[in-house]
Amino acid sequence: MDYLVNGFWAAFALLANMDDATFSAITATLVSTSYAMAASLLMGLPAGFALGYCDFPGKKVLRLISDTLLAFPTVLIGLLVYAFITYRGPLGEWGLLFTLPGMAIGQTLLALPIVVSWVAQAVEGLDPRCRQTLLTLGARPLQLAWLSLCEVRFAIAMVCLTAFGRVITEVGIAMMLGGNVRYHTRTMTTAIALETSKGEFAQGIALGLVLLFMAFAINVLMTFIKHRGRI
């Protein structure tokens, strides 16, 4: 057990001394996750709202597809995106492979079904009398949509935090599309996997502690949002 104790002490030293490799992995993780979350929310929020609020032909099929993609294997997402952005793929000339934006594409595909399906579910859970009341008060279509969206704002915040937590802890997509390049695309999860395989526990433990802190922060935010939603 001595190696675990020594590993924890070395991990605290790396964090306290702001080790370059450790903080480079943290930065790469936050940057790629930010790209993925921005893209997934820009596309997923309106799509999820439309899927849950509007009635149109094929709605049930689209909802089934979106719900099915929640269980889409992450390694398959990585494989499909890799096939498109590799140098022999249709998007190869863009030079996205082994870059943070390329990695964010795969992470976006991971987060998008979460945002779409859960936002749609939240909107479907709205009290029907809310829409009728707004119509009675003379709300226009855009006002009706905006006010309905505000009614589920706490549920949407929960969706965002859940998607963020899912993306930031992903390892398969980051490994396949980012290439685990040190000081460039190495994320916290890929660094932990690499350092553990080499028997170097210090950096892995340090990054694991950072992930644990992030998970704790997300849970605190989710608890706060749940509490606000009941008020």
Side-chain angles (χ1 to χ4, degrees), residues 37-53 111-123 145-146 149 152-153 155-161 163:
M37 288 303 302
S40 61
L41 291 177
L42 284 174
M43 294 184 289
L45 286 178
F49 181 82
L51 193 59
Y53 191 79
L112 192 57
I114 299 175
V115 177
V116 172
S117 291
W118 288 14
V119 168
Q121 183 177 350
V123 173
W146 173 251
L149 197 60
V152 294
R153 61 188 182 279
I156 290 175
M158 294 285 290
V159 172
C160 295
L161 288 174

Side-chain angles (χ1 to χ4, degrees), residues 3-228:
Y3 75 96
L4 283 177
V5 176
N6 294 333
F8 271 101
W9 280 114
F12 285 120
L14 288 175
L15 293 174
N17 295 326
M18 300 187 69
D19 176 68
D20 289 342
T22 302
F23 278 84
S24 173
I26 295 172
T27 301
T29 302
L30 293 176
V31 170
S32 64
T33 301
S34 299
Y35 288 160
M37 288 303 302
S40 61
L41 291 177
L42 284 174
M43 294 184 289
L45 286 178
F49 181 82
L51 193 59
Y53 191 79
C54 305
D55 291 320
F56 52 87
K59 174 180 176 177
K60 291 184 178 180
V61 175
L62 289 176
R63 183 62 189 274
L64 179 62
I65 293 173
S66 178
D67 291 344
T68 302
L69 291 177
L70 289 171
F72 203 37
T74 57
V75 290
L76 183 55
I77 294 176
L79 176 62
L80 292 175
V81 176
Y82 185 95
F84 273 86
I85 67 175
T86 187
Y87 300 112
R88 294 179 295 175
L91 303 180
E93 61 183 18
W94 292 8
L96 292 170
L97 189 60
F98 304 145
T99 65
L100 293 179
M103 191 163 56
I105 293 175
Q107 293 172 331
T108 300
L109 295 180
L110 175 66
L112 192 57
I114 299 175
V115 177
V116 172
S117 291
W118 288 14
V119 168
Q121 183 177 350
V123 173
E124 287 174 347
L126 275 172
D127 190 336
R129 293 173 296 181
C130 177
R131 181 174 183 176
Q132 295 171 0
T133 302
L134 291 173
L135 288 172
T136 303
L137 294 174
R140 296 178 180 178
L142 288 178
Q143 291 175 323
L144 186 62
W146 173 251
L147 291 172
S148 298
L149 197 60
C150 290
E151 283 295 312
V152 294
R153 61 188 182 279
F154 293 113
I156 290 175
M158 294 285 290
V159 172
C160 295
L161 288 174
T162 302
F164 177 83
R166 183 71 180 89
V167 169
I168 203 169
T169 56
E170 170 54 34
V171 60
I173 292 173
M175 187 77 75
M176 295 179 68
L177 302 179
N180 201 19
V181 182
R182 192 178 189 186
Y183 298 117
H184 184 49
T185 60
R186 181 170 296 174
T187 64
M188 288 189 284
T189 52
T190 57
I192 290 172
L194 177 66
E195 296 302 321
T196 302
S197 67
K198 296 191 313 185
E200 299 290 339
F201 295 101
Q203 191 178 58
I205 292 174
L207 294 172
L209 290 173
V210 174
L211 282 175
L212 187 63
F213 173 78
M214 289 182 177
F216 175 76
I218 289 172
N219 280 320
V220 170
L221 281 173
M222 291 177 72
T223 302
F224 174 75
I225 290 170
K226 285 180 181 178
H227 176 71
R228 288 293 302 273

